[in-house]
Amino acid sequence: MNFRSAFSQIVWLQVLAVAATSLVMPIALYLFLERTVADYQVKMLRQREQVLLQAMTPAPAAGVALPASLTEPYAQEISGFSFAISDPHGRLLTSSAGDPALAPLPTARRIEMFRRKTGKGAYVGVSVPEDFHGQPIWIQVQQNQDNPDVVLDDVQARFLPAVVTLSAGVLLFLLLADIVIVRRALGPIVAASGLAGAISPTTMDLRLPTQRMPSEILPLVEAVNQAFDRLEHGFRAQRDLTADVAHELRTPLAVLRLRAEALVDPLMRARILADIDVMTRLVAQLLSVAELEMVIIGPDETADLHQACLEVVEHLAPLAVKQGKAIELEGSEGPVWVHGRSELLFQAVRNLVENAIRHSPPGGAVTVEVAAAGAARVLDRGPGVPGELKNRLFERFWRARRKERSSVGAGAGLGLSIVAQIAEQHGGQVSVDDRPGGGAVFSLVLRPVRKSAAAAA
């Protein structure tokens, strides 16, 4: 499995480790118990073998003899024990009552443990080589494991299911504990990633927290913060340069305008003044862009969208009349409260209306509609916007980079990008659509706020 989440990887690896441990640990413990039981049984059987060896006496006929006090318990099969004493060739010298046949003698003279099954049950025993009055003998002692007095096999048989159940519970608890520990350890990283997503050109001063950060991740966090420091420095330097250049260009443009107005040729004067107007507008828009980069809209800031649109219409009405065009305000007549700042909304709507006036034909009308849901629409009867250009219309300087001018007219390419930037800062959006009957419709949609909240603000 290929998990992108470190938490998922850790959890699944822990699950696999727990599953493997759940299988291996009970088997290992069972084998350990089995070995321990076997060692105990050998020790117990050796003790009985030593008792038999010490009690043995020579006998002319059988070769060895044992006292009745020792053989009687074996004859009664107390605890299921039985024994057999043989010479090196396997000839039986003496044995307990009952079946004296034990396991075959080992080929080498060494102590060996054996297991066998007969009709009477399962036996475990030991074969021990000894010397009896200078003669080699074998003493074999065994115990019937089915005897009620034998508890070791019962313990061994019940051990595996018990240890499996216990191990599963303990390992499951450890897995849950690991999940809690890992989640707690990854908490600072998750919080830092959320904060990193909030860093933008308007919040360049934010940095990832280093408190409680794991030591393995801390160098990465510090490196990211240092990268943010460098980006902030470069971003502020670029923004300051834009603002400084725009400010410095104002004076030369004013001087240039005075000199152009002194030209005798009216045609040349008009063309130069038109170019100066375009340059002046571009400088003003550059200043607006630089200022917008520093704007932070507070979460509680509200503005009356209807009032902003009304002020735009009043401000641009003389321009429209001068060009032989009309401008009108429709829609909601009362306050329309939205999340935002009044001067920025005024600037956004003004750019949209200026764009509509510029592209409207002589005698045409520009309509500004205000919706109670928190949206402003600017409608014109211009040539419209071709479908393939709608997605790029709000890009900064896009129009200036185009090799050919389209029917939407000439411009610096900053006005609509400023509208898009203001909309983004307000948590809204701007779009363009075709107007039925010809023309374009620019829509600025913002976040409405309740009247009570706006009034309180």
Side-chain angles (χ1 to χ4, degrees):
M1 298 182 182
N2 184 19
F3 293 100
R4 300 295 300 273
S5 167
F7 180 76
S8 299
Q9 293 180 30
I10 294 173
V11 170
W12 277 106
L13 289 175
Q14 288 285 351
V15 170
L16 293 177
V18 167
T21 306
S22 299
L23 295 175
V24 174
M25 188 174 71
I27 296 175
L29 290 175
Y30 180 78
L31 294 176
F32 174 77
L33 176 65
E34 187 179 44
R35 179 61 182 270
T36 303
V37 170
D39 291 344
Y40 176 79
Q41 289 175 328
V42 170
K43 181 180 179 181
M44 178 181 59
L45 293 172
R46 281 295 309 274
Q47 289 176 349
R48 289 188 173 271
E49 179 268 334
Q50 287 295 314
V51 171
L52 291 174
L53 178 63
Q54 295 173 7
M56 285 182 355
T57 57
V64 295
L66 289 170
S69 60
L70 183 61
T71 58
E72 286 179 359
Y74 285 95
Q76 299 172 8
E77 296 187 356
I78 296 177
S79 299
F81 284 101
S82 57
F83 70 89
I85 303 174
S86 307
D87 63 13
H89 304 290
R91 184 173 64 88
L92 185 64
L93 301 180
T94 185
S95 67
S96 60
D99 183 9
L102 277 71
L105 294 177
T107 56
R109 287 187 62 81
R110 64 171 179 264
I111 300 174
E112 288 190 6
M113 185 178 182
F114 62 83
R115 296 181 183 274
R116 70 188 189 95
K117 287 186 178 182
T118 67
K120 294 182 179 180
Y123 290 84
V124 60
V126 64
S127 300
V128 183
E130 297 285 3
D131 287 331
F132 180 66
H133 291 276
Q135 298 296 325
I137 61 173
W138 283 95
I139 301 178
Q140 293 179 300
V141 181
Q142 67 180 9
Q143 184 182 28
N144 188 341
Q145 301 299 292
D146 295 336
N147 191 281
D149 293 339
V150 179
V151 297
L152 286 179
D153 276 4
D154 292 340
V155 172
Q156 189 176 2
R158 297 176 183 177
F159 176 78
L160 186 59
V163 77
V164 168
T165 303
L166 179 62
S167 300
V170 171
L171 293 175
L172 180 60
F173 172 78
L174 292 177
L175 175 61
L176 296 177
D178 283 342
I179 292 176
V180 174
I181 293 172
V182 170
R183 184 178 293 276
R184 179 178 177 83
L186 293 180
I189 302 176
V190 174
S193 63
L195 181 60
I199 297 178
S200 67
T202 58
T203 57
M204 290 293 290
D205 57 327
L206 293 179
R207 293 296 180 268
L208 304 184
T210 56
Q211 294 81 6
R212 296 179 56 243
M213 192 64 63
S215 58
E216 297 83 359
I217 307 297
L218 185 59
L220 175 61
V221 173
E222 292 176 343
V224 170
N225 284 337
Q226 292 171 4
F228 279 138
D229 291 338
R230 294 189 294 270
L231 288 174
E232 181 184 11
H233 177 74
F235 180 80
R236 293 187 184 278
Q238 180 182 13
R239 184 188 60 199
D240 294 342
L241 175 63
T242 302
D244 292 343
V245 169
H247 276 293
E248 293 298 327
L249 286 175
R250 281 183 164 182
T251 300
L253 285 175
V255 174
L256 186 60
R257 172 177 289 277
L258 291 175
R259 292 179 178 177
E261 291 176 347
L263 292 175
V264 177
D265 187 346
L267 181 59
M268 181 62 69
R269 183 172 62 248
R271 289 179 177 178
I272 294 179
L273 288 176
D275 290 338
I276 294 175
D277 288 339
V278 173
M279 295 177 64
T280 303
R281 178 175 175 81
L282 176 58
V283 169
Q285 289 178 337
L286 286 173
L287 283 173
S288 297
V289 170
E291 292 172 355
L292 283 175
E293 299 292 355
M294 296 183 292
V295 170
I296 300 177
I297 306 297
D300 298 329
E301 290 191 66
T302 58
D304 183 359
L305 181 60
H306 177 270
Q307 180 64 28
C309 292
L310 177 61
E311 292 176 0
V312 169
V313 171
E314 294 175 347
H315 177 73
L316 295 179
L319 175 64
V321 172
K322 182 179 179 180
Q323 298 182 12
K325 304 171 185 179
I327 183 171
E328 55 188 4
L329 179 65
E330 296 182 355
S332 178
E333 297 182 356
V336 177
W337 295 103
V338 295
H339 168 70
R341 191 174 296 177
S342 299
E343 58 270 24
L344 296 181
L345 296 181
F346 174 86
Q347 183 178 3
V349 176
R350 184 190 66 188
N351 286 1
L352 292 178
V353 174
E354 286 180 344
N355 181 74
I357 293 175
R358 185 166 60 251
H359 296 99
S360 294
V366 174
T367 303
V368 180
E369 291 183 356
V370 183
R377 302 170 71 225
V378 179
L379 304 88
D380 63 60
R381 287 297 182 183
V385 182
E388 66 273 12
L389 304 182
K390 291 178 180 178
N391 292 333
R392 305 192 62 186
L393 195 60
F394 298 97
E395 294 181 11
R396 186 175 296 178
F397 291 115
W398 169 75
R399 204 199 305 254
R401 295 195 300 266
R402 294 180 56 223
K403 294 181 179 180
E404 296 180 359
R405 301 292 182 176
S406 70
S407 60
V408 296
L414 280 175
L416 294 180
S417 69
I418 291 176
V419 177
Q421 185 174 357
I422 293 175
E424 181 180 359
Q425 290 175 329
H426 285 71
Q429 59 182 1
V430 62
S431 60
V432 59
D433 295 297
D434 295 329
R435 183 179 183 183
V441 179
F442 287 83
S443 300
L444 177 63
V445 180
L446 302 166
R447 288 191 298 162
V449 296
R450 293 179 300 178
K451 182 183 296 186
S452 58

